[in-house]
mmCIF file of all heavy atoms in Angstrom:
data_model
loop_
_atom_site.group_PDB
_atom_site.id
_atom_site.type_symbol
_atom_site.label_atom_id
_atom_site.label_comp_id
_atom_site.label_asym_id
_atom_site.label_seq_id
_atom_site.Cartn_x
_atom_site.Cartn_y
_atom_site.Cartn_z
ATOM 1 N N ARG A 1614 15.863 -1.551 -22.484
ATOM 2 C CA ARG A 1614 16.732 -2.724 -22.588
ATOM 3 C C ARG A 1614 16.039 -3.918 -23.230
ATOM 4 O O ARG A 1614 16.597 -4.995 -23.295
ATOM 5 C CB ARG A 1614 17.207 -3.113 -21.191
ATOM 6 C CG ARG A 1614 18.006 -2.017 -20.497
ATOM 7 C CD ARG A 1614 18.318 -2.413 -19.063
ATOM 8 N NE ARG A 1614 19.124 -1.393 -18.394
ATOM 9 C CZ ARG A 1614 19.448 -1.444 -17.100
ATOM 10 N NH1 ARG A 1614 19.037 -2.435 -16.359
ATOM 11 N NH2 ARG A 1614 20.185 -0.503 -16.566
ATOM 12 N N ASN A 1615 14.810 -3.728 -23.665
ATOM 13 C CA ASN A 1615 14.038 -4.842 -24.199
ATOM 14 C C ASN A 1615 14.363 -5.039 -25.671
ATOM 15 O O ASN A 1615 14.125 -4.158 -26.495
ATOM 16 C CB ASN A 1615 12.539 -4.587 -24.016
ATOM 17 C CG ASN A 1615 11.711 -5.834 -24.272
ATOM 18 O OD1 ASN A 1615 12.158 -6.765 -24.929
ATOM 19 N ND2 ASN A 1615 10.497 -5.839 -23.751
ATOM 20 N N ALA A 1616 14.904 -6.212 -26.002
ATOM 21 C CA ALA A 1616 15.255 -6.490 -27.393
ATOM 22 C C ALA A 1616 14.053 -6.909 -28.217
ATOM 23 O O ALA A 1616 14.094 -6.869 -29.449
ATOM 24 C CB ALA A 1616 16.321 -7.580 -27.455
ATOM 25 N N THR A 1617 12.952 -7.306 -27.547
ATOM 26 C CA THR A 1617 11.770 -7.773 -28.285
ATOM 27 C C THR A 1617 10.497 -7.225 -27.653
ATOM 28 O O THR A 1617 9.690 -7.980 -27.098
ATOM 29 C CB THR A 1617 11.713 -9.317 -28.301
ATOM 30 O OG1 THR A 1617 11.746 -9.797 -26.942
ATOM 31 C CG2 THR A 1617 12.871 -9.902 -29.080
ATOM 32 N N PRO A 1618 10.278 -5.921 -27.671
ATOM 33 C CA PRO A 1618 9.046 -5.373 -27.094
ATOM 34 C C PRO A 1618 7.838 -5.742 -27.941
ATOM 35 O O PRO A 1618 7.958 -6.032 -29.136
ATOM 36 C CB PRO A 1618 9.290 -3.860 -27.123
ATOM 37 C CG PRO A 1618 10.222 -3.661 -28.266
ATOM 38 C CD PRO A 1618 11.118 -4.865 -28.281
ATOM 39 N N ALA A 1619 6.669 -5.737 -27.296
ATOM 40 C CA ALA A 1619 5.424 -5.916 -28.041
ATOM 41 C C ALA A 1619 5.175 -4.660 -28.867
ATOM 42 O O ALA A 1619 5.306 -3.542 -28.367
ATOM 43 C CB ALA A 1619 4.270 -6.162 -27.080
ATOM 44 N N VAL A 1620 4.854 -4.841 -30.138
ATOM 45 C CA VAL A 1620 4.619 -3.722 -31.053
ATOM 46 C C VAL A 1620 3.140 -3.714 -31.422
ATOM 47 O O VAL A 1620 2.597 -4.724 -31.880
ATOM 48 C CB VAL A 1620 5.480 -3.849 -32.324
ATOM 49 C CG1 VAL A 1620 5.240 -2.665 -33.254
ATOM 50 C CG2 VAL A 1620 6.956 -3.952 -31.953
ATOM 51 N N LYS A 1621 2.479 -2.577 -31.200
ATOM 52 C CA LYS A 1621 1.050 -2.483 -31.449
ATOM 53 C C LYS A 1621 0.725 -1.186 -32.176
ATOM 54 O O LYS A 1621 1.335 -0.144 -31.909
ATOM 55 C CB LYS A 1621 0.254 -2.528 -30.138
ATOM 56 C CG LYS A 1621 0.417 -3.791 -29.326
ATOM 57 C CD LYS A 1621 -0.335 -3.696 -28.006
ATOM 58 C CE LYS A 1621 -0.131 -4.941 -27.152
ATOM 59 N NZ LYS A 1621 -0.823 -4.814 -25.838
ATOM 60 N N ALA A 1622 -0.251 -1.275 -33.061
ATOM 61 C CA ALA A 1622 -0.801 -0.078 -33.705
ATOM 62 C C ALA A 1622 -2.222 -0.403 -34.111
ATOM 63 O O ALA A 1622 -2.527 -1.544 -34.487
ATOM 64 C CB ALA A 1622 0.031 0.330 -34.914
ATOM 65 N N ILE A 1623 -3.090 0.558 -34.024
ATOM 66 C CA ILE A 1623 -4.484 0.334 -34.385
ATOM 67 C C ILE A 1623 -5.023 1.594 -35.058
ATOM 68 O O ILE A 1623 -4.731 2.715 -34.620
ATOM 69 C CB ILE A 1623 -5.329 -0.058 -33.147
ATOM 70 C CG1 ILE A 1623 -6.719 -0.504 -33.565
ATOM 71 C CG2 ILE A 1623 -5.388 1.069 -32.141
ATOM 72 C CD1 ILE A 1623 -7.494 -1.161 -32.434
ATOM 73 N N ALA A 1624 -5.757 1.406 -36.118
ATOM 74 C CA ALA A 1624 -6.292 2.534 -36.888
ATOM 75 C C ALA A 1624 -7.592 3.029 -36.267
ATOM 76 O O ALA A 1624 -8.302 2.295 -35.571
ATOM 77 C CB ALA A 1624 -6.529 2.118 -38.330
ATOM 78 N N VAL A 1625 -7.907 4.284 -36.520
ATOM 79 C CA VAL A 1625 -9.162 4.863 -36.053
ATOM 80 C C VAL A 1625 -10.331 4.103 -36.674
ATOM 81 O O VAL A 1625 -10.334 3.787 -37.870
ATOM 82 C CB VAL A 1625 -9.238 6.349 -36.431
ATOM 83 C CG1 VAL A 1625 -10.614 6.927 -36.091
ATOM 84 C CG2 VAL A 1625 -8.146 7.138 -35.722
ATOM 85 N N GLY A 1626 -11.324 3.784 -35.829
ATOM 86 C CA GLY A 1626 -12.525 3.132 -36.328
ATOM 87 C C GLY A 1626 -12.418 1.639 -36.487
ATOM 88 O O GLY A 1626 -13.353 0.996 -36.989
ATOM 89 N N THR A 1627 -11.298 1.037 -36.077
ATOM 90 C CA THR A 1627 -11.152 -0.419 -36.166
ATOM 91 C C THR A 1627 -10.805 -0.975 -34.795
ATOM 92 O O THR A 1627 -10.441 -0.246 -33.874
ATOM 93 C CB THR A 1627 -10.060 -0.822 -37.166
ATOM 94 O OG1 THR A 1627 -8.773 -0.498 -36.604
ATOM 95 C CG2 THR A 1627 -10.228 -0.101 -38.487
ATOM 96 N N ALA A 1628 -10.895 -2.297 -34.687
ATOM 97 C CA ALA A 1628 -10.515 -2.975 -33.456
ATOM 98 C C ALA A 1628 -9.431 -4.010 -33.731
ATOM 99 O O ALA A 1628 -9.178 -4.885 -32.906
ATOM 100 C CB ALA A 1628 -11.736 -3.647 -32.825
ATOM 101 N N THR A 1629 -8.792 -3.907 -34.900
ATOM 102 C CA THR A 1629 -7.789 -4.884 -35.307
ATOM 103 C C THR A 1629 -6.400 -4.355 -35.006
ATOM 104 O O THR A 1629 -5.980 -3.320 -35.541
ATOM 105 C CB THR A 1629 -7.908 -5.193 -36.818
ATOM 106 O OG1 THR A 1629 -9.223 -5.645 -37.098
ATOM 107 C CG2 THR A 1629 -6.899 -6.261 -37.216
ATOM 108 N N LEU A 1630 -5.684 -5.071 -34.132
ATOM 109 C CA LEU A 1630 -4.325 -4.677 -33.806
ATOM 110 C C LEU A 1630 -3.377 -5.072 -34.928
ATOM 111 O O LEU A 1630 -3.484 -6.160 -35.494
ATOM 112 C CB LEU A 1630 -3.871 -5.351 -32.508
ATOM 113 C CG LEU A 1630 -4.383 -4.748 -31.195
ATOM 114 C CD1 LEU A 1630 -3.963 -5.627 -30.026
ATOM 115 C CD2 LEU A 1630 -3.862 -3.338 -31.003
ATOM 116 N N GLN A 1631 -2.457 -4.190 -35.240
ATOM 117 C CA GLN A 1631 -1.393 -4.495 -36.188
ATOM 118 C C GLN A 1631 -0.066 -4.425 -35.452
ATOM 119 O O GLN A 1631 0.062 -3.796 -34.406
ATOM 120 C CB GLN A 1631 -1.417 -3.518 -37.358
ATOM 121 C CG GLN A 1631 -2.728 -3.545 -38.144
ATOM 122 C CD GLN A 1631 -2.649 -2.710 -39.411
ATOM 123 O OE1 GLN A 1631 -1.738 -2.882 -40.205
ATOM 124 N NE2 GLN A 1631 -3.612 -1.813 -39.576
ATOM 125 N N SER A 1632 0.918 -5.103 -36.009
ATOM 126 C CA SER A 1632 2.230 -5.120 -35.383
ATOM 127 C C SER A 1632 3.214 -4.352 -36.260
ATOM 128 O O SER A 1632 2.985 -3.178 -36.560
ATOM 129 C CB SER A 1632 2.690 -6.559 -35.158
ATOM 130 O OG SER A 1632 3.911 -6.600 -34.455
ATOM 131 N N VAL A 1633 4.291 -4.979 -36.665
ATOM 132 C CA VAL A 1633 5.315 -4.310 -37.463
ATOM 133 C C VAL A 1633 4.755 -3.954 -38.840
ATOM 134 O O VAL A 1633 4.085 -4.773 -39.482
ATOM 135 C CB VAL A 1633 6.555 -5.209 -37.599
ATOM 136 C CG1 VAL A 1633 7.580 -4.580 -38.519
ATOM 137 C CG2 VAL A 1633 7.151 -5.477 -36.215
ATOM 138 N N GLY A 1634 5.012 -2.721 -39.275
ATOM 139 C CA GLY A 1634 4.543 -2.302 -40.597
ATOM 140 C C GLY A 1634 3.918 -0.926 -40.556
ATOM 141 O O GLY A 1634 4.144 -0.139 -39.634
ATOM 142 N N THR A 1635 3.098 -0.639 -41.561
ATOM 143 C CA THR A 1635 2.469 0.676 -41.698
ATOM 144 C C THR A 1635 0.993 0.611 -41.318
ATOM 145 O O THR A 1635 0.284 -0.305 -41.745
ATOM 146 C CB THR A 1635 2.597 1.194 -43.143
ATOM 147 O OG1 THR A 1635 3.984 1.279 -43.487
ATOM 148 C CG2 THR A 1635 1.954 2.566 -43.291
ATOM 149 N N THR A 1636 0.554 1.550 -40.509
ATOM 150 C CA THR A 1636 -0.848 1.662 -40.117
ATOM 151 C C THR A 1636 -1.317 3.069 -40.451
ATOM 152 O O THR A 1636 -0.725 4.059 -39.993
ATOM 153 C CB THR A 1636 -1.045 1.394 -38.608
ATOM 154 O OG1 THR A 1636 -0.500 0.114 -38.284
ATOM 155 C CG2 THR A 1636 -2.516 1.421 -38.244
ATOM 156 N N SER A 1637 -2.360 3.174 -41.231
ATOM 157 C CA SER A 1637 -2.869 4.481 -41.652
ATOM 158 C C SER A 1637 -3.849 5.035 -40.625
ATOM 159 O O SER A 1637 -4.608 4.292 -40.004
ATOM 160 C CB SER A 1637 -3.560 4.365 -43.016
ATOM 161 O OG SER A 1637 -2.664 3.896 -43.997
ATOM 162 N N ASN A 1638 -3.817 6.358 -40.467
ATOM 163 C CA ASN A 1638 -4.761 7.061 -39.595
ATOM 164 C C ASN A 1638 -4.849 6.386 -38.226
ATOM 165 O O ASN A 1638 -5.884 5.876 -37.810
ATOM 166 C CB ASN A 1638 -6.145 7.107 -40.245
ATOM 167 C CG ASN A 1638 -7.098 8.039 -39.505
ATOM 168 O OD1 ASN A 1638 -6.679 8.882 -38.711
ATOM 169 N ND2 ASN A 1638 -8.391 7.871 -39.764
ATOM 170 N N ILE A 1639 -3.742 6.409 -37.518
ATOM 171 C CA ILE A 1639 -3.658 5.647 -36.272
ATOM 172 C C ILE A 1639 -4.521 6.251 -35.162
ATOM 173 O O ILE A 1639 -4.703 7.462 -35.071
ATOM 174 C CB ILE A 1639 -2.204 5.534 -35.771
ATOM 175 C CG1 ILE A 1639 -1.623 6.923 -35.470
ATOM 176 C CG2 ILE A 1639 -1.355 4.752 -36.734
ATOM 177 C CD1 ILE A 1639 -0.343 6.877 -34.668
#
Side-chain angles (χ1 to χ4, degrees):
R1614 299 174 178 175
N1615 193 339
T1617 56
V1620 181
K1621 299 176 182 178
I1623 189 168
V1625 173
T1627 72
T1629 303
L1630 282 174
Q1631 300 188 52
S1632 185
V1633 175
T1635 301
T1636 304
S1637 300
N1638 190 17
I1639 62 166

